[in-house]
Amino acid sequence: MNATTAQQHEVLVLGAGYAGLSAAIQLAARTRKRGNPRVTLVNAYDTFTERLRLHMTATGQETAEMNIPELLDGTGAAFVRGWVTAVDAEKKTVRIDDERVLRYDTLVYALGGVADTAAVPGVDDHAHTLDSPEDAAVLAGRLAGLDGGTVVVGGSGLTGVEAAAEIAERHPELQVVLLGRREPGAGMHPKAKAHLDAALARLGVRVRSGVEVAKVLPDSVELADGSGIPADVVLWTSGTRVPPLAAAAGLAVDERGRVVTDSALRSVSHPDVYAVGDAAAIRQGYGVMHGTCQGGMPTGVHAALSILRVLAGKEPKPFRFGYYHTPVSLGRNDAVVQFTHPDDSPRRIVLTGKRAAKYKETVTAAPWPTFARMKKMPASGAFWPRGGRYTRIRSAK
């Protein structure tokens, strides 16, 4: 082992979602000419999962397939395919499913959330989820094989709304029932909510709010009040959970298992670990951030910049983020875009209809040119999409 190898600083990025991929590309692209640190991205699949389009995959629509090694090409980052099975925060190692052990000096923890199928009995056994392209493809096959019947979507949040609308539009022969504790679009401006309600009604989606699912059975959904809804297919979109790996490693986590971070996105218990995206409990002035693509990518970029500052002997700067919009597709030619204040509360500005659908499509497609820009990143700034445009964020030099 030569001196150069001995001094190599190893950065492992776990998870290649929007946040993890942003961190890996940003960090590697900025340091590729120096060759230090060495950046390795670990992910269970070698294709990028477009979570924003999984409701389309679930209705048999084709979406672009992005190969992670190709996205990393030219950055200098290495790729390791494998499921992470354990993190040892004291020894600074990560074990993957083929029993390989990877060492790190700095870890970026980006193993995001999945649907919470454990909170309600029967969900894990009898409901579909939209956690991966494979899950979505299985659901697409099941829907295509139905000759009439009822599809129950459990969860009236934005994922549930988009999935219910997409299924109803692509499969008008099916009755779609959307269940949730709150009304769909409850946090939106009245104008945005009215458009969302009208679109669901137009598509024939039956909405039942103020209800709680007690159990999912093979052919029905049982509600807490004792009533039931016959169901040929159940799609579960209510709530998320994160892998228990962070807690098992001894990292400080919140009640949902997310890594608690300081203002620079470092673990409060292990400062050589950065947490980003859905895996992190990141507190801002308005509260803890919730998981979205628009928030995930900036956390990945900021973690990369923070690591660079620390390696240069400087203090990282605090992360600051404000929400900008909530785009919701309502089928292929309709949508609603709720523009928001930085704390995610609704503004009066709303887009609806085809203009909103075009806007949503632009935002959904935005990560790809963003990743391309990151690969050619000069040392002076970072880019990520904001409302269909690219916002330049100065690096902390």
Side-chain angles (χ1 to χ4, degrees):
M1 179 182 294
N2 58 38
T4 301
T5 302
Q7 297 172 0
Q8 191 88 46
H9 189 95
E10 300 284 349
V11 179
L12 276 186
V13 181
L14 305 184
Y18 294 98
L21 196 55
S22 295
I25 291 177
Q26 183 77 195
L27 183 58
R30 285 176 176 275
T31 59
R32 61 179 177 268
K33 292 183 179 179
R34 301 200 303 265
N36 196 11
R38 181 162 53 196
V39 180
T40 302
L41 177 61
V42 182
N43 197 60
Y45 304 99
D46 58 9
T47 54
F48 179 80
T49 298
E50 283 192 279
R51 295 187 70 91
L52 297 178
R53 295 184 186 270
L54 286 179
H55 59 287
M56 297 171 60
T57 306
T59 54
Q61 300 174 71
E62 291 187 4
T63 59
E65 185 172 288
M66 297 292 171
N67 181 269
I68 294 173
E70 290 179 4
L71 289 171
L72 295 176
D73 186 44
T75 66
F79 176 71
V80 172
R81 179 173 178 176
W83 289 92
V84 177
T85 58
V87 176
D88 190 322
E90 303 308 319
K91 294 181 179 179
K92 295 188 176 182
T93 59
V94 170
R95 185 180 296 276
I96 57 178
D97 56 347
D98 63 4
E99 297 304 314
R100 276 183 292 174
V101 176
L102 309 175
R103 188 187 69 82
Y104 68 85
D105 297 298
T106 299
L107 184 71
V108 180
Y109 190 88
L111 297 174
V114 295
D116 187 357
T117 58
V120 174
V123 171
D124 203 28
D125 295 323
H126 306 303
H128 294 264
T129 63
L130 295 179
D131 288 333
S132 69
E134 290 78 11
D135 292 340
V138 169
L139 176 57
R142 182 77 176 95
L143 295 175
L146 292 178
D147 184 16
T150 299
V151 178
V152 172
V153 179
S156 56
L158 302 184
T159 301
V161 168
E162 290 194 325
E166 205 78 35
I167 293 170
E169 181 176 88
R170 299 285 292 189
H171 293 281
E173 73 282 4
L174 301 177
Q175 171 65 62
V176 179
V177 181
L178 179 61
L179 301 179
R181 294 186 182 93
R182 304 179 68 198
E183 293 185 4
M188 291 182 166
H189 185 274
K191 179 181 177 181
K193 177 168 170 42
H195 184 85
L196 187 151
D197 290 342
L200 292 177
R202 170 178 55 80
L203 292 167
V205 176
R206 180 185 169 201
V207 176
R208 290 194 59 179
S209 56
V211 300
E212 185 172 348
V213 176
K215 185 183 297 184
V216 175
L217 301 171
D219 58 358
S220 65
V221 171
E222 184 179 304
L223 303 182
D225 63 6
S227 64
I229 301 174
D232 297 279
V233 172
V234 176
L235 170 61
W236 195 255
T237 67
S238 179
T240 59
R241 58 185 169 89
V242 297
L245 291 168
L251 302 177
V253 298
D254 69 356
E255 68 282 355
R256 293 174 54 188
R258 299 175 298 181
V259 178
V260 179
T261 72
D262 66 9
S263 63
L265 306 186
R266 296 173 296 195
S267 162
V268 295
S269 60
H270 295 75
D272 52 352
V273 177
Y274 292 76
V276 295
D278 295 351
I282 302 170
R283 182 164 293 280
Q284 299 289 285
Y286 49 78
V288 177
M289 291 175 59
H290 61 79
T292 65
C293 170
Q294 67 173 308
M297 294 180 72
T299 64
V301 170
H302 191 87
L305 299 180
S306 294
I307 292 169
L308 291 175
R309 283 189 64 87
V310 170
L311 292 178
K314 302 175 183 179
E315 279 296 311
K317 293 191 174 182
F319 177 72
R320 295 289 181 264
F321 175 78
Y323 296 97
Y324 184 74
H325 58 197
T326 303
V328 185
S329 64
L330 300 167
R332 289 300 83 215
N333 296 301
D334 194 5
V336 58
V337 179
Q338 172 68 72
F339 291 93
T340 66
H341 297 288
D343 65 358
D344 205 31
S345 61
R347 299 171 65 191
R348 295 177 61 86
I349 304 173
V350 172
L351 280 180
T352 59
K354 291 185 177 180
R355 284 196 307 160
K358 183 176 181 180
Y359 182 101
K360 173 68 159 56
E361 182 63 25
T362 301
V363 171
T364 303
W368 313 126
T370 301
F371 290 144
R373 283 174 177 252
M374 286 180 186
K375 289 169 66 172
K376 301 176 181 179
M377 184 58 54
S380 60
F383 294 81
W384 59 71
R386 180 182 173 100
R389 304 185 300 278
Y390 287 94
T391 299
R392 186 180 180 102
I393 306 298
R394 291 290 177 181
S395 67
K397 292 174 62 178

